[in-house]
Amino acid sequence: MRVYRAGRRPWWHFAIVATVLAVVGLLLAGYFLSQDSADRIPPDVRVAGIEVGGLAVDEATALVRQAVTAERRRTIELVYPGGELETTPGDLGVAPRVDAAVERARSSRGRFSRLWARLGLAGAVDVSLDLSARPRRVRTVVDRLAEALERPMQPASVERQGDEIVVVPARVGLELDRSTVYDRLLELPQRVELPVTQIQPTVTDDEARRAQELAQALVSSPPAIVHEGTRLTLSADVIREALRFEPSSTTTIAVALDAEVLRPSLEEAFAGLGRPPVDARFRVRGERVEIVPAVQGSALDVETTVRQLVPNAGSVEVPAVFTPVDAGRTTEDARAMGIVELVSEFTTPYPCCQPRVRNIQRAATLLDGTIIEPGAELSLNEALGERTRERGFVEAPMIGADGRLVDAVGGGVSQVATTIFNAAFFAGLELIQHTPHSFYISRYPMGREATISWGGPELIFRNDWPQAVLVKIRATDTSIRVRFYSTVDGRRVRTTTSEPYDEREPTVRRVVNEALAPGTERVVQAGGVRGFSVDYTRVVEQDGEVRRRERFHVEYQPEDTIVEVGPGPAAETAGDAVPGVDPAAPPPDQGT
């Protein structure tokens, strides 16, 4: 058993005290050391692999920035067949934030970690630095590469250059694989093999030379175009102007001639050799109608004729092509109209050899052969047109607005209107608009008549039957006859006319004429028929069933005696008539 003497300590007490004092010393040293090194990068610290430990912040920043600048300026080789380009990481958007990375490096260790690092007791720290490319900048670089390297494929072609026909050589196209280049540039490599694909021309130079030779043969010896003894040889200048070279497929060139350029020459050479078509027409045989068949015509087919020239280059001649031309109204069309028989007719007489007869005959000529399609309306004014001297009409008497007969161009055509009205009446057609004369004219049926004038009155009726109506008119020196041909189709027309009633006697009307000597008078129009009213009816039947029932009422004015008087006392008793015609009065009846 050991015995410790008073006043003495064991040795291990001193060891413990020494250890504690050493640790405290180290802690104090580390603390003061860390305080002294706050403006420096801790030991064993790197930025993107660059050793910056122990450096002042400014020194570390300059060192890292120098390395980054070198990296941004580094050349990336871009190699392609036949050449080389280059770019840099800076072009690709590499732009790291150096200051932020250095700051992260400075603060990467705590106070005691710095001490342990100095003592070699802590691991190394590597602060990352963003050195990656930016996708948008990479795409921009790729687009610029494509713009510099790519070119469209150009097929060989043939052109006219003045009087020469020349070959434009083919050119190989180049196409950059943009997607592959983009992916590789994102990796920031040292070298990139640019994948450039060659696009071979679809039309070769040999094919262009073949088309050139064909065109030259056509210019130097074009075939003559012949038809029925007519022979046309086109000049080299005209052929050359008409030449066209167009791709006919993906690999060939078509040599063609523009038909519109050659059309004037062909149409002039072969003018009159075609035949105009003749429409089917109707020939009346008494009460029946025969169809005169249509005649097919022929016309020069410029396009087809021209198409023969190229494949026959070097030949002696080719035929001009004439194609059939159908008539506007074929035989089948005429047959389908149903115009086969007489359905109504009407005749009115007139004295021979008056000027109005010429107007009646001229109107008959213009209207003869008119066809009214099913459902169509006929306006007599539209069908006749304006009555003028230039169109063959002359002056003749007509009923003026004041009831006086006056001369006017076209006078007398109302007799045509009345005769056509009655033919339409008895054909059972729909009567849309008609106006009787202002006083009764004995050569017309009472009430059942019509007058017309340019601008009104008007005569309009509609063909409301399923077949067309053919209008045939014959005007002799003493009468006009109108016949309507169609299909009877069970139609029947009945009419009645009342006796005249409410008769009114004509009067004497005196009209002042300043051109007459004072106190004199003259009769300019002898009085005529009385005025009266009359009614008439029409019943249209089809197969015994009533299709239309109508009643018409007409009031005729008396035909007064008109006396012109000179100025003076007699003029004061001239009644209520005044010289001239009221401008607001309705248009006069045209013809009588």
Side-chain angles (χ1 to χ4, degrees):
M1 178 173 112
R2 292 182 181 181
V3 178
Y4 294 94
R5 294 179 180 176
R8 296 186 66 179
R9 302 281 184 185
W11 64 267
W12 47 271
H13 281 198
F14 294 101
I16 290 173
V17 172
T19 300
V20 170
L21 292 174
V23 169
V24 171
L26 288 173
L27 290 174
L28 291 173
Y31 173 78
F32 288 110
L33 181 62
S34 65
Q35 291 299 311
D36 293 340
S37 304
D39 60 344
R40 290 182 174 273
I41 307 299
D44 204 10
V45 174
R46 300 176 180 83
V47 175
I50 302 170
E51 182 62 55
V52 294
L55 297 178
V57 170
D58 291 344
E59 294 174 336
T61 300
L63 182 62
V64 174
R65 184 166 283 124
Q66 182 180 8
V68 167
T69 300
E71 171 62 16
R72 281 172 48 83
R73 294 175 179 176
R74 173 174 61 87
T75 298
I76 300 175
E77 296 179 353
L78 307 172
V79 182
Y80 63 92
E84 182 177 317
L85 299 171
E86 63 181 37
T87 188
T88 66
D91 294 336
L92 301 176
V94 174
R97 299 175 63 185
V98 174
D99 292 342
V102 171
E103 177 59 27
R104 290 197 303 274
R106 188 190 67 79
S107 59
S108 63
R109 293 187 186 276
R111 295 173 180 176
F112 293 105
S113 177
R114 289 171 177 262
L115 180 60
W116 305 139
R118 284 188 174 277
L119 297 175
L121 299 177
V125 174
D126 196 343
V127 176
S128 65
L129 189 63
D130 184 9
L131 293 173
S132 60
R134 301 291 185 264
R136 183 175 61 83
R137 295 285 296 274
V138 174
R139 280 193 291 269
T140 299
V141 170
V142 172
D143 289 343
R144 290 174 180 171
L145 289 173
E147 184 178 350
L149 295 177
E150 288 186 336
R151 67 185 184 195
M153 176 273 297
Q154 177 178 295
S157 60
V158 183
E159 295 180 354
R160 285 190 300 110
Q161 295 181 2
D163 292 341
E164 299 296 324
I165 301 172
V166 299
V167 170
V168 179
R171 185 180 67 185
V172 175
L174 298 176
E175 184 176 54
L176 179 67
D177 184 346
R178 302 188 186 199
S179 177
T180 298
V181 175
Y182 174 83
D183 291 341
R184 297 196 61 187
L185 287 179
L186 283 176
E187 300 171 359
L188 301 175
Q190 297 293 328
R191 176 187 174 94
V192 175
E193 296 282 347
L194 298 179
V196 178
T197 303
Q198 291 188 344
I199 304 173
Q200 297 301 320
T202 53
V203 180
T204 65
D205 292 351
D206 287 343
E207 170 60 19
R209 282 189 286 271
R210 180 201 64 79
Q212 178 193 39
E213 292 171 0
L214 176 59
Q216 288 173 337
L218 192 62
V219 170
S220 60
S221 57
I225 305 171
V226 298
H227 182 76
E228 295 181 355
T230 298
R231 183 181 185 89
L232 170 65
T233 301
L234 296 166
S235 69
D237 288 341
V238 172
I239 291 288
R240 191 180 295 109
E241 181 184 354
L243 277 172
R244 301 291 183 268
F245 303 95
E246 300 174 355
S248 61
S249 69
T250 57
T251 59
T252 59
I253 297 175
V255 179
L257 293 170
D258 189 335
E260 294 309 308
V261 174
L262 303 182
R263 182 182 298 277
S265 298
L266 270 69
E267 289 183 343
E268 180 181 357
F270 298 103
L273 297 183
R275 299 188 311 275
V278 179
D279 286 352
R281 57 191 192 279
F282 301 94
R283 178 187 295 138
V284 174
R285 299 287 192 185
E287 295 187 359
R288 303 295 297 179
V289 178
E290 297 176 353
I291 295 176
V292 179
V295 177
Q296 193 177 59
S298 64
L300 176 67
D301 187 338
V302 174
E303 289 79 6
T304 303
T305 301
V306 168
R307 278 198 296 270
Q308 298 181 105
L309 298 177
V310 175
N312 288 285
S315 301
V316 176
E317 59 186 34
V318 295
V321 178
F322 282 75
T323 56
V325 179
D326 290 332
R329 182 195 300 136
T330 66
T331 305
E332 292 72 20
D333 293 337
R335 191 172 291 116
M337 288 181 171
I339 300 173
V340 296
E341 58 191 327
L342 182 69
V343 295
S344 71
E345 67 175 314
F346 203 79
T347 302
T348 57
Y350 43 75
C352 174
C353 311
Q354 298 177 354
R356 66 189 304 276
V357 174
R358 180 174 173 181
N359 291 331
I360 293 171
Q361 292 174 335
R362 176 60 179 153
T365 299
L366 293 173
L367 296 171
D368 185 46
T370 298
I371 294 177
I372 312 171
E373 298 282 354
E377 292 183 2
L378 184 138
S379 158
L380 193 56
N381 266 327
E382 290 183 7
L384 269 179
E386 186 174 4
R387 275 70 79 188
T388 64
R389 290 184 176 85
E390 292 75 17
R391 300 185 66 239
F393 292 93
V394 298
E395 285 190 351
M398 70 174 187
I399 302 175
D402 61 350
R404 185 192 309 197
L405 289 174
V406 296
D407 283 342
V409 175
V413 297
S414 283
Q415 180 144 4
V416 180
T418 290
T419 313
I420 290 178
F421 171 78
N422 276 274
F425 183 93
F426 286 108
L429 304 183
E430 180 184 357
L431 305 175
I432 296 176
Q433 184 177 339
H434 72 283
T435 303
H437 287 82
S438 56
F439 53 76
Y440 175 61
I441 300 172
S442 60
R443 57 179 170 265
Y444 303 149
M446 284 190 297
R448 206 176 64 235
E449 45 98 354
T451 183
I452 64 168
S453 181
W454 185 250
E458 175 66 281
L459 170 60
I460 303 174
F461 56 90
R462 177 185 292 113
N463 176 17
D464 56 344
W465 293 87
Q467 300 84 19
V469 172
L470 170 65
V471 180
K472 294 297 293 180
I473 304 179
R474 182 171 183 269
T476 67
D477 290 340
T478 56
S479 67
I480 176 173
R481 182 184 68 187
V482 176
R483 287 185 165 186
F484 282 10
Y485 293 87
S486 184
T487 298
V488 171
D489 200 21
R491 75 180 79 181
R492 183 183 176 211
V493 176
R494 293 184 286 111
T495 184
T496 61
T497 302
S498 72
E499 293 295 326
Y501 63 93
D502 192 19
E503 295 186 352
R504 296 172 296 282
E505 294 294 332
T507 63
V508 177
R509 288 192 291 141
R510 286 181 169 79
V511 180
V512 176
N513 185 343
E514 299 290 345
L516 295 179
T520 61
E521 63 179 45
R522 66 179 180 185
V523 176
V524 294
Q525 180 173 300
V529 298
R530 298 182 179 92
F532 61 90
S533 298
V534 68
D535 300 319
Y536 66 98
T537 65
R538 182 176 74 154
V539 177
V540 180
E541 298 177 347
Q542 184 178 16
D543 297 328
E545 294 185 4
V546 175
R547 179 167 175 165
R548 183 177 290 114
R549 190 186 299 274
E550 299 161 305
R551 182 180 184 85
F552 303 91
H553 173 74
V554 178
E555 295 182 2
Y556 289 114
Q557 301 301 317
E559 186 178 4
D560 295 334
T561 297
I562 300 177
V563 179
E564 291 184 343
V565 299
E572 298 176 1
T573 61
D576 56 1
V578 296
V581 177
D582 181 1
D589 299 338
Q590 190 160 76
T592 55

